[in-house]
Amino acid sequence: YTAKGQPTYMNILRKFEMSTIHASITGTHPAFIVNGVEKPEIFVGTYQGVIKNGELLSLPNEAPATNLDYATFLNAARSNGNGHHLITNAEWAALALRSYKDATQPLGNNYYGRSAESNTLIGRRVNGLTPGTVVSPGVVLTGSGPVNWRQNGKINGIADMSGNIWEWNSGLRIVNGEIQVIPDNNASSSIIDLEANSTEWKAISGANGSYLTPDGNGTTPNSVRIASSGTADYTLKIGILQDFGTMANPPAPALRISDAALSKLRALCLFLVGTSTAAFNGDGVFINPAIEGLCSRGGAWTDSSKAGIFSFSLSNLRTRAELDLGARPAYIKP
């Protein structure tokens, strides 16, 4: 229950060692580390968020809140009480990796109320139209889809992490092409500064994976970057609107990203684990390297196969407010 006594439905994810997911990553997943302290579990909203009485709630069979900017969702999540927060990229990544390991990567509403992969996988549209009718918005009521739309393939799983609406994630951004993060899961703290000029933001060294203090221009020496073309040092390469699984370490003669840095990127679902591009179901990556772009995950009702639990966008201005963009609450016991 929230500070105002409102119910909010959560799923519990227990702490895990990353080597159980894949040999290329080791250690406790960063989602379970807050300010240097390991947490035994995290609570993630079962449903996409709804704002009621100023709080961001996870509730079934509701129209998810959309068309609000990042700060509005962040403040509504924090209003739930101490420990409550907007879902972080680290938490989303932990769920995605578990789903990958368990082979339960979900389908979802990626075609106007149904799955593009099957017209029998449908949800209840907010506007009452027949699923598949190409009229926007194509949003469905939270949790109204089949078990195929749950992250564990079961009715008790987390709903709609693939499609329906994009979801703001805290703790990850791009600044003029440079990847920046709030280390571990510190972005879950209710008092941490997540503003654009916060000193909490760190770049990642492509040479050894250590955190670097950004230079403010997205040009921190040796930092990991992301681009759609070229062979720049320490720069992940992925084409415009391409699949997550096709992301590549820079080709020669550029300096390639070290294994230590790749491990950190894999833990945050910013680089594929394993070598099978097909394992990521065509989930798409959307970037705008010319701005401060905040992270959103999952995709929307129009994204077809590009929507998915590994899909992410780094093209969102803080002020962006659209009908296809919402949020999900989470909680860690203080």
Side-chain angles (χ1 to χ4, degrees), residues 219-234:
T219 55
T220 311
N222 298 327
S223 66
V224 174
R225 302 176 60 78
I226 189 168
S228 60
S229 61
T231 58
D233 293 347
Y234 304 131

Side-chain angles (χ1 to χ4, degrees), residues 47-71:
Y47 308 102
Q48 292 173 328
V50 178
I51 294 181
K52 294 191 176 186
N53 297 321
E55 297 179 328
L56 183 66
L57 309 177
S58 164
L59 296 174
N61 298 307
E62 297 270 359
T66 62
N67 210 26
L68 299 168
D69 65 16
Y70 173 77

Side-chain angles (χ1 to χ4, degrees), residues 199-282:
T199 59
E200 302 288 349
W201 290 106
K202 302 297 178 186
I204 299 172
S205 168
N208 57 28
S210 63
Y211 291 119
L212 305 171
T213 299
D215 66 5
N217 301 310
T219 55
T220 311
N222 298 327
S223 66
V224 174
R225 302 176 60 78
I226 189 168
S228 60
S229 61
T231 58
D233 293 347
Y234 304 131
T235 300
L236 294 172
K237 183 179 177 182
I238 185 166
I240 297 173
L241 304 183
Q242 293 300 302
D243 298 350
F244 172 78
T246 66
M247 190 174 291
N249 205 346
L255 293 176
R256 291 172 64 78
I257 298 171
S258 68
D259 288 344
L262 286 178
S263 178
K264 188 161 288 185
L265 296 171
R266 288 183 174 112
L268 297 175
C269 288
L270 295 174
F271 195 75
L272 66 161
V273 294
T275 58
S276 172
T277 60
F280 301 98
N281 299 333

Side-chain angles (χ1 to χ4, degrees), residues 113-132:
R114 68 171 176 84
S115 292
E117 296 82 358
S118 172
N119 58 15
T120 65
L121 302 177
I122 63 174
R124 293 189 295 278
R125 287 181 64 166
V126 171
N127 57 17
L129 294 179
T130 300

Side-chain angles (χ1 to χ4, degrees), residues 147-225:
V147 295
N148 314 68
W149 294 8
R150 305 271 176 155
Q151 114 287 351
N152 63 356
K154 301 176 182 178
I155 194 62
N156 68 349
I158 299 171
D160 303 321
M161 294 187 74
S162 173
N164 206 34
I165 56 172
W166 289 94
E167 300 182 33
W168 287 110
N169 278 205
S170 287
L172 171 64
R173 69 177 182 175
I174 191 173
V175 177
N176 296 329
E178 181 176 88
I179 293 173
Q180 295 183 7
V181 300
I182 304 290
D184 295 327
N185 200 14
N186 295 349
S188 67
S189 170
S190 60
I191 60 173
I192 196 167
D193 183 1
L194 298 174
E195 294 298 321
N197 60 356
S198 170
T199 59
E200 302 288 349
W201 290 106
K202 302 297 178 186
I204 299 172
S205 168
N208 57 28
S210 63
Y211 291 119
L212 305 171
T213 299
D215 66 5
N217 301 310
T219 55
T220 311
N222 298 327
S223 66
V224 174
R225 302 176 60 78

